[in-house]
Amino acid sequence: MGRAFVYVILGGGVAAGYAALEFTRRGVSHGELCIISEESVVPYERPALSKGFLLPEGIEVVLGTWVKSADVKRKTLLTATGETISYKFLIIATGARALKLEEFGLNGSDAGNVCYLRDLADATRLVDVMQSCIGGNAVVIGGGYIGMECAASLVINKLNVTMVFPEAHTMARLFTPKIASYYEDYYIAKGVKFIKGTVMSSFDMDSDGKVTAVNLKDGSWLPADMVVVGIGIRPNTALFEGQLTMEKGGIKVNGQMQASDSSVYAVGDVAAFPVKLFGETRRLEHVDSARKSARHAVAAIMDLEKTNEFDYLPFFYSRVFTLSWQFYGDNAGEVVHFGDFSGNTFGAYWVNRGNLVGSFLEGGSKEQYEAISKVTRLRPAIEDLGELEKLGLGYALAE
Ligand code: FAD
Ligand code: NDP
């Protein structure tokens, strides 16, 4: 059993949806393009986990179908249902999976009230569990993006929330202690408790297989009606290990998003691509890079000659409660904070080897965010950090 297509997109997430949009924008004939996804719904905007579906018509969509092996030399994919799908060009958009507690030597992921959040099925389940626990205790494991965003939603839905994570402050990979302390104070005022510098060691369970308490390494324990786990992700590269070159845990691609086999492209969370601005290969786990890398790969597939190298400025953002921040560039080097950390608008610049390389802003206007984005891309030389601090946001606005 088999089918053949010119273009196959493997994965049905954000990058897959944007690749499909770009194909149809540029024009593909009926039956030329196929998307294969394990999920039972067509690609949707993951950040909102809303039903903002991304798929235009005229594309062969193979849903609810797991691809179990790939043969890069033969240009074929084998599905769990036994179908062989062949391609001329493959776009790998398999994204990532949430890391499980078991991978840290712990147990309990299967408990009825332990939730992860990666796809629509997870989101539906999390909402069901949350609604059965209103007024109860939620323990959030992990102080990254999922932890921060879920803790805010749980509080809004009237649960008592405690966050537990090993680092000294939240969002340790991006926030400085000063930035983190602003958000933590805000969360504390909303009723969230933080337990830092320790990790969970085990769950107490009832006879229904539900968690009743979370035991911590420091010897303490927390009563729990539900648990949300957000302890990072791993890119879904397994199908291509040994067949394509890997780097930074992802599939290594060039500036056209082309993998070590020239018929294969990788986009989104799974791709490790050259970030020209920093002169190094990075794997980013954010929606803007998923969207843009997907469009770039399609442009390269359809017109390699005329497609310049991907020149991407990393962009991350989040919205929680009434807060909203954006970050552009790289958080490397020395940090200069600016603005009013007791008010609504503040930020930071990162200066590495004499150049401004990263900018963070909370509570900015559209114009202000555009200004920090623009200035970061320019990588201006900074001679006087004190002066930069004094000028603050004014520096970006004046450039
Ligand atoms: P995904 O969207 O994960 O899609 C991967 C797809 O591949 C899935 O459909 C999966 O089922 C499929 N797949 C994988 N392996 C196989 C296989 N073998 N066979 C068949 N199908 C397969 N980023 C931001 O910048 N801002 C945000 O506010 C933000 N919010 C987020 C909120 C949540 C809850 C989550 C989970 C992520 C959020 N992100 C955010 C991150 C962002 O969503 C990801 O960077 C983005 O989804 C990556 O897109 P992707 O297409 O590479 O992977
Ligand atoms: P993150 O990598 O953001 O954070 C994971 C956090 O969990 C880290 O602080 C990590 O610490 C910590 N951790 C690791 N192991 C343990 C443990 N055993 N116990 C407690 N804490 C632990 O991943 P998330 O899971 O929060 O997010 C998943 C993905 O979704 C990411 O790719 C993220 O980019 C994406 N996402 C993005 C959003 C956005 O951009 N607004 C919103 C939601 C999700 P350490 O650093 O020490 O490993």
Side-chain angles (χ1 to χ4, degrees):
M1 194 164 70
R3 280 185 278 175
F5 297 90
V6 183
Y7 312 108
V8 171
I9 301 172
L10 173 55
V14 173
Y18 276 79
L21 287 177
E22 189 63 25
F23 270 122
T24 47
R25 202 177 70 73
R26 287 168 179 265
V28 280
S29 309
H30 211 89
E32 271 188 339
L33 171 61
C34 168
I35 295 186
I36 315 171
S37 173
E38 185 201 5
E39 295 187 69
S40 56
V41 289
V42 296
Y44 53 88
E45 289 282 13
R46 209 149 293 239
L49 274 172
S50 61
K51 293 188 177 64
F53 294 113
L54 294 169
L55 212 58
E57 290 181 0
I59 301 168
E60 188 70 29
V61 188
V62 183
L63 294 176
T65 302
W66 176 251
V67 168
K68 63 175 190 181
S69 67
D71 188 330
V72 167
K73 279 213 181 81
R74 292 210 167 101
K75 302 189 202 295
T76 56
L77 302 174
L78 179 64
T79 70
T81 52
E83 186 179 13
T84 299
I85 294 184
S86 61
Y87 58 81
K88 199 163 160 231
F89 294 102
L90 173 67
I91 298 184
I92 303 170
T94 46
R97 62 180 175 79
L99 273 173
K100 292 279 169 77
L101 290 169
E102 283 67 11
E103 292 167 78
F104 293 84
L106 302 163
N107 297 310
S109 288
D110 294 339
N113 55 351
V114 171
C115 301
Y116 290 84
L117 182 57
R118 182 67 201 179
D119 59 21
L120 193 57
D122 294 339
T124 310
R125 181 165 175 274
L126 198 156
V127 169
D128 284 349
V129 172
M130 183 182 73
Q131 280 170 351
S132 70
C133 299
I134 306 289
N137 298 309
V139 176
V140 173
I141 311 279
Y145 286 96
I146 291 285
M148 289 301 273
E149 295 188 3
C150 287
S153 299
L154 291 164
V155 165
I156 291 165
N157 283 283
K158 306 206 176 346
L159 277 88
N160 308 308
V161 179
T162 305
M163 291 181 69
V164 182
F165 48 86
E167 298 100 339
H169 62 77
T170 49
M171 295 284 294
R173 283 186 209 152
L174 179 64
F175 288 2
T176 64
K178 191 174 166 82
I179 294 175
S181 107
Y182 176 89
Y183 292 98
E184 288 172 18
D185 287 349
Y186 192 99
Y187 273 53
I188 289 167
K190 294 279 182 189
V192 176
K193 294 183 195 71
F194 291 98
I195 300 185
K196 305 174 183 180
T198 189
V199 290
M200 69 162 275
S201 54
S202 64
F203 290 136
D204 288 350
M205 302 268 198
D206 65 13
S207 53
D208 295 333
K210 282 194 171 170
V211 172
T212 55
V214 180
N215 299 306
L216 306 181
K217 272 235 169 83
D218 68 4
S220 60
W221 65 279
L222 301 163
D225 297 295
M226 71 177 288
V227 177
V228 177
V229 183
I231 53 175
I233 61 167
R234 280 289 174 275
N236 292 318
T237 55
L239 292 174
F240 302 96
E241 302 281 352
Q243 301 193 70
L244 297 173
T245 306
M246 302 284 160
E247 192 171 333
K248 305 224 159 135
I251 294 168
K252 183 180 166 65
V253 294
N254 63 19
Q256 312 294 3
M257 311 311 289
Q258 195 171 33
S260 52
D261 178 291
S262 62
S263 303
V264 180
Y265 291 70
V267 296
D269 283 11
V270 82
F273 63 92
V275 179
K276 267 175 102 173
L277 220 49
F278 310 142
E280 67 177 57
T281 297
R282 299 260 173 114
R283 200 179 54 71
L284 301 176
E285 300 173 356
H286 292 273
V287 74
D288 185 63
S289 69
R291 292 171 181 152
K292 290 184 177 145
S293 62
R295 288 200 195 117
H296 197 88
V298 175
I301 287 173
M302 298 195 91
D303 198 352
L304 194 55
E305 298 289 294
K306 289 210 192 105
T307 307
N308 294 326
E309 295 210 326
F310 192 40
D311 188 8
Y312 182 67
L313 173 68
F315 165 49
F316 317 148
Y317 68 91
S318 184
R319 284 186 286 270
V320 283
F321 298 114
T322 56
L323 305 172
S324 172
W325 59 259
Q326 295 192 9
F327 170 83
Y328 294 88
D330 197 13
N331 58 328
E334 287 178 88
V335 186
V336 172
H337 294 99
F338 62 80
D340 180 5
F341 275 74
S342 55
N344 298 324
T345 307
F346 63 86
Y349 296 119
W350 279 259
V351 177
N352 198 19
R353 297 195 201 102
N355 289 88
L356 189 151
V357 295
S359 307
F360 176 96
L361 182 62
E362 162 63 43
S365 64
K366 191 167 171 278
E367 292 69 31
Q368 291 168 338
Y369 286 128
E370 272 168 17
I372 61 159
S373 156
K374 217 168 119 198
V375 82
T376 310
R377 185 173 270 288
L378 291 172
R379 289 173 59 96
I382 302 293
E383 268 149 34
D384 185 341
L385 294 183
E387 186 63 18
L388 180 66
E389 186 173 8
K390 235 189 291 157
L391 290 169
L393 191 51
Y395 177 79
L397 291 165
E399 277 294 302

